[in-house]
Amino acid sequence: MRARDGKGSNSVTVPRRQSFAETARPQLSKGEGIRVRVRNTRESISVLALVWQGHMPVRPVARLCATCQATEKAREGQLLSGVFRSLSLTMTSAIFSDNDFKVESPDVRYTEEHIVANYKYETTSVEGNVVRPSRRTYTFKTERRVPKTGLMLVGWGGNNGSTTTAGILANKHGITWNTKSGVQTPNYWGSMTQASTVKIGADPAGNSVFIPFNRLLPMLSPNDLVVGGWDISSLNLADSMERAEVLEYDLQRKLRPYMENMVPLPSIYFPDFIAANQADRADNVLSGSKKEQMEQVRQHIRDFKAANELEKVIVLWTANTERFSAVEAGKNDTADVLMKSIERGDAEISPSTLFAVASILEGCAYINGSPQNTFVPGVIELAERNKVYIAGDDFKSGQTKMKSVLVDFLVNAGIKPVSIVSYNHLGNNDGRNLSAPQTFRSKEISKSNVVDDMVASNRILYDENEHPDHTVVIKYVPYVGDSKRAMDEYTSEIFMGGTNTIVLHNTCEDSLLATPLIYDLVVIMELCQRIKVTPEGEEEEGFHSVISLLSYLLKAPLVPQGTPILNALFAQRQCMVNVFRACVGLAPENNMTLEHKLVSHIEAAKETSERPPKRMRMSP
């Protein structure tokens, strides 16, 4: 691009890595007019941005290139129309800040140990046709120090377990690796806590300011986790990583020295609960009665905690999907009868339930990353009695996450989904285990309920008890390995009897999508353990033992009995963000931006803010 004055005497060449705005603005600030010849759309938009910001007067004699589809002498109205069409694609009112922040408010106190915030919680109750807004004050107290934390994975030697460990080691040690596309560097992309941002507020010019999610409150870093666990396979973690075929060969080669001495503890194996095809992997199993095996798991947790000088341990199930357990009175419906059933070795006590009970009795939070009903009523009651946190069920990483977004969008747009057909095929060990009908049924249930609350929210579209036809199919195809294929067809009824069909094809690197969720689940679970809440006029307490705050990360969210289930993805995330904002005394982000809607506010902002009123980011 070349910029020059009207007589052609001053020519400004824009360096390759510098924008036109950076080059031309000094000349414009002197009141000098310039004529601009642009060569492509990006350069033309840079000029138009200066016009929009008020730095360049509108004298539309510029010749825009063919890609801009403008005439040699564009009329002023046409140019301005192009300005705003272009700016809608390239202008941004968002600013990213990676700095620590401190809230200045009479309702927020920072001590060496805690952040204490008085928060006014506003809700709206509905009784018949009467709607009443209400407000109540809560005091949030968050411990600032992050304790040394261990993560014990059930299924440590599986695809997710080995990938979780490898990801931490690669990031912690800065291990790079070569592929045919060049040198790759480690990251935590796909992790909400490590790679996403949240809006914290707006600057004086009205720009939205975003910070990393993990700057909202003091959070655990995955790099600091001490990882261990159990597996029915005796392979060391390096060999497990190789068997999984998830990571690039060069990365595996560099990680091998770190992982070859990591060997899983023996695990609980009851063949009746998983597919028969898993028997060939089961060479590292505990023996004894169900109670004896549970006690061995408890001792493993104690030993791991002591050996690594840990302050807390979180246990997470990422092993095979089990069949559903029968929930029966006198067997697992209360904590007391559950403990008696374990003592007598009842057939319906699953390995995952034993791990959950062992974790709860050791005071360790337990997360279920698979779809089976680990949390029978007796387990939930035991967690409540011991004030230990639990969360589940089933990682929400690919197809179900897309479904919760799309159905939410369609229903909120007044469009009626009437048929949802979801097909998957994958070739990893998860797919192999799910080829058994009894384990597939667990997965089918967790995938099928994801749209229920969105459908129930709109009785204009749906009659009472009416639901879309919803079918889920999963097939095992060994060749595709961890690269799962998900295909969905959404058929909806639209205006005046019409229909609309949306078809999606999603190729998911299964473990590379699930592993970041494991980090997030552990990070948020650990943070929840450091938050205490005092309702006005009542005693301080922690969250309910069932941490529904983790619903964003799970297909079939477990919630406290008698409370509603929320499946809409964006609402789930905003719930989490707003709770953490409350911990630092900030109101929920409501996106009203009234300061940008009223003439008086907009004019006042113009008078007090420095130019440019908006910040623009453009790639060179």
Side-chain angles (χ1 to χ4, degrees):
M1 182 194 298
R2 299 179 70 82
R4 58 186 181 178
D5 69 10
K7 299 178 181 179
S9 58
N10 292 327
S11 178
V12 179
T13 301
V14 180
R16 178 175 173 79
R17 290 288 175 181
Q18 189 170 342
S19 72
F20 170 78
E22 293 169 321
T23 305
R25 189 177 283 124
Q27 208 166 317
L28 290 165
S29 66
K30 300 175 186 177
E32 300 176 4
I34 59 174
R35 172 176 286 177
V36 179
R37 179 186 179 91
V38 295
R39 298 181 296 249
N40 55 47
T41 304
R42 181 183 298 165
E43 292 179 354
S44 71
I45 290 170
S46 184
V47 176
L48 299 176
L50 286 175
V51 174
W52 182 78
Q53 292 177 339
H55 293 293
M56 181 183 287
V58 180
R59 298 283 295 174
V61 295
R63 184 171 72 86
L64 305 183
C65 64
T67 57
C68 302
Q69 298 296 305
T71 61
E72 178 72 21
K73 293 184 178 181
R75 290 182 295 121
E76 183 170 335
Q78 292 173 320
L79 179 60
L80 286 175
S81 176
V83 168
F84 292 109
R85 283 199 304 271
S86 300
L87 291 176
S88 69
L89 298 176
T90 62
M91 295 298 293
T92 175
S93 58
I95 295 175
F96 174 78
S97 173
D98 199 16
N99 299 320
D100 290 328
F101 72 93
K102 187 173 183 179
V103 176
E104 291 187 358
S105 166
D107 291 324
V108 182
R109 290 187 294 113
Y110 290 83
T111 70
E112 188 173 335
E113 295 83 17
H114 298 99
I115 302 171
V116 183
N118 294 324
Y119 177 75
K120 294 177 176 61
Y121 177 54
E122 297 181 348
T123 56
T124 305
S125 63
V126 181
E127 296 180 16
N129 61 351
V130 178
V131 180
R132 294 187 182 91
S134 62
R135 174 186 290 186
R136 189 176 184 186
T137 299
Y138 292 78
T139 300
F140 287 81
K141 185 172 73 175
T142 308
E143 291 182 30
R144 301 180 71 176
R145 190 181 69 84
V146 179
K148 186 177 181 182
T149 303
L151 169 61
M152 297 194 77
L153 297 169
V154 188
W156 191 23
N159 286 27
N160 289 344
S162 59
T163 305
T164 296
T165 308
I168 291 171
L169 291 169
N171 277 280
K172 185 174 183 177
H173 297 287
I175 297 172
T176 61
W177 65 99
N178 290 300
T179 69
K180 64 183 181 181
S181 301
V183 177
Q184 305 296 314
T185 57
N187 59 57
Y188 281 118
W189 292 354
S191 163
M192 175 190 64
T193 61
Q194 307 304 305
S196 78
T197 62
V198 293
K199 182 181 176 182
I200 197 67
D203 71 3
N207 300 299
S208 297
V209 179
F210 289 81
I211 63 170
F213 189 104
N214 56 21
R215 290 295 181 92
L216 266 176
L217 288 167
M219 295 188 195
L220 175 70
S221 168
N223 286 3
D224 295 330
L225 281 170
V226 180
V227 184
W230 305 262
D231 202 279
I232 62 173
S233 170
S234 63
L235 286 187
N236 66 58
L237 266 290
D239 289 341
S240 296
M241 174 178 60
E242 183 178 334
R243 176 179 60 189
E245 299 180 359
V246 172
L247 299 172
E248 293 280 354
Y249 169 76
D250 192 45
L251 178 57
Q252 291 186 39
R253 181 180 62 82
K254 292 184 177 182
L255 286 169
R256 176 165 283 277
Y258 296 92
M259 299 175 66
E260 59 189 357
N261 293 322
M262 296 179 174
V263 180
L265 294 161
S267 192
I268 300 173
Y269 173 58
F270 303 153
D272 176 50
F273 279 88
I274 57 177
N277 58 31
Q278 300 300 300
D280 58 352
R281 294 167 68 109
D283 62 355
N284 189 42
V285 300
L286 293 171
S287 59
S289 67
K290 291 194 173 185
K291 186 175 189 302
E292 289 170 341
Q293 292 187 49
M294 183 192 73
E295 292 298 334
Q296 291 177 69
V297 169
R298 292 185 66 182
Q299 187 62 51
H300 290 161
I301 295 172
R302 290 193 290 267
D303 292 344
F304 179 73
K305 188 173 183 179
N308 294 285
E309 299 179 336
L310 301 171
E311 296 172 76
K312 67 172 65 171
V313 173
I314 294 172
V315 178
L316 184 145
W317 177 281
T318 183
N320 282 320
T321 295
E322 298 173 335
R323 67 166 175 84
F324 259 53
S325 298
V327 178
E328 300 178 11
K331 287 189 176 182
N332 51 20
D333 58 324
T334 72
D336 291 335
V337 301
L338 174 65
M339 297 307 295
K340 291 177 181 177
S341 294
I342 292 173
E343 282 192 36
R344 67 173 180 263
D346 191 278
E348 286 304 305
I349 304 300
S350 67
S352 64
T353 292
L354 289 179
F355 272 103
V357 171
S359 301
I360 291 167
L361 295 177
E362 289 302 313
C364 299
Y366 185 86
I367 302 168
N368 179 32
S370 291
Q372 70 271 350
N373 62 336
T374 297
F375 298 121
V376 293
V379 173
I380 296 174
E381 184 182 317
L382 187 68
E384 293 171 345
R385 180 185 298 176
N386 288 273
K387 298 188 185 303
V388 173
Y389 289 169
I390 57 175
D393 296 310
D394 203 5
F395 305 131
K396 181 161 59 183
S397 59
Q399 187 179 58
T400 307
K401 184 172 286 187
M402 293 293 295
K403 189 175 296 181
S404 64
V405 172
L406 190 55
V407 174
D408 189 31
F409 153 68
L410 290 170
V411 172
N412 283 327
I415 295 172
K416 181 181 180 179
V418 291
S419 171
I420 304 170
V421 181
S422 299
Y423 168 87
N424 307 255
H425 66 261
L426 68 165
N428 58 18
N429 193 56
D430 183 37
R432 187 171 181 236
N433 179 61
L434 290 173
S435 63
Q438 69 272 24
T439 53
F440 167 71
R441 179 57 182 157
S442 295
K443 178 70 74 172
E444 184 180 34
I445 291 171
S446 76
K447 279 177 165 282
S448 297
N449 296 332
V450 68
V451 303
D452 288 355
D453 61 317
M454 291 167 266
V455 168
S457 72
N458 192 329
R459 292 305 177 200
I460 300 172
L461 295 176
Y462 296 94
D463 294 332
E464 196 73 33
N465 299 319
E466 182 185 6
H467 296 85
D469 293 337
H470 192 177
T471 299
V472 178
V473 178
I474 301 176
K475 294 297 182 182
Y476 176 54
V477 181
Y479 179 79
V480 303
D482 206 61
S483 185
K484 179 171 69 174
R485 272 64 161 178
M487 286 155 274
D488 296 83
E489 180 188 85
Y490 298 82
T491 301
S492 302
E493 294 179 356
I494 58 174
F495 183 59
M496 301 299 286
T499 59
N500 170 253
T501 300
I502 299 172
V503 179
L504 301 179
H505 183 281
N506 187 2
T507 299
C508 314
E509 297 291 340
D510 205 28
S511 297
L512 297 181
L513 289 172
T515 292
L517 302 188
I518 292 175
Y519 302 140
D520 289 340
L521 286 163
V522 174
V523 169
I524 300 300
M525 177 65 85
E526 190 285 319
L527 173 58
C528 288
Q529 293 174 320
R530 288 186 282 118
I531 298 173
K532 301 295 182 184
V533 185
T534 306
E536 187 176 18
E538 298 183 20
E539 297 294 320
E540 180 182 270
E541 58 183 295
F543 293 118
H544 188 279
S545 287
V546 177
I547 302 297
S548 57
L549 206 61
L550 294 172
S551 296
Y552 175 76
L553 304 162
L554 297 160
K555 280 190 184 75
L558 185 69
V559 301
Q561 186 174 9
T563 65
I565 298 173
L566 179 66
N567 283 300
L569 192 74
F570 297 122
Q572 289 174 334
R573 187 181 192 273
Q574 205 55 43
C575 167
M576 195 184 316
V577 170
N578 286 337
V579 168
F580 296 155
R581 287 174 64 92
C583 290
V584 290
L586 298 178
E589 182 53 55
N590 56 33
N591 296 308
M592 290 174 66
T593 60
L594 287 177
E595 62 272 23
H596 303 155
K597 306 294 188 295
L598 304 177
V599 174
S600 60
H601 289 21
I602 295 170
E603 293 301 321
K606 286 181 181 178
E607 294 176 4
T608 58
S609 63
E610 297 180 359
R611 287 186 180 275
K614 298 288 180 185
R615 189 169 297 183
M616 180 180 67
R617 289 185 179 179
M618 295 181 61
S619 56

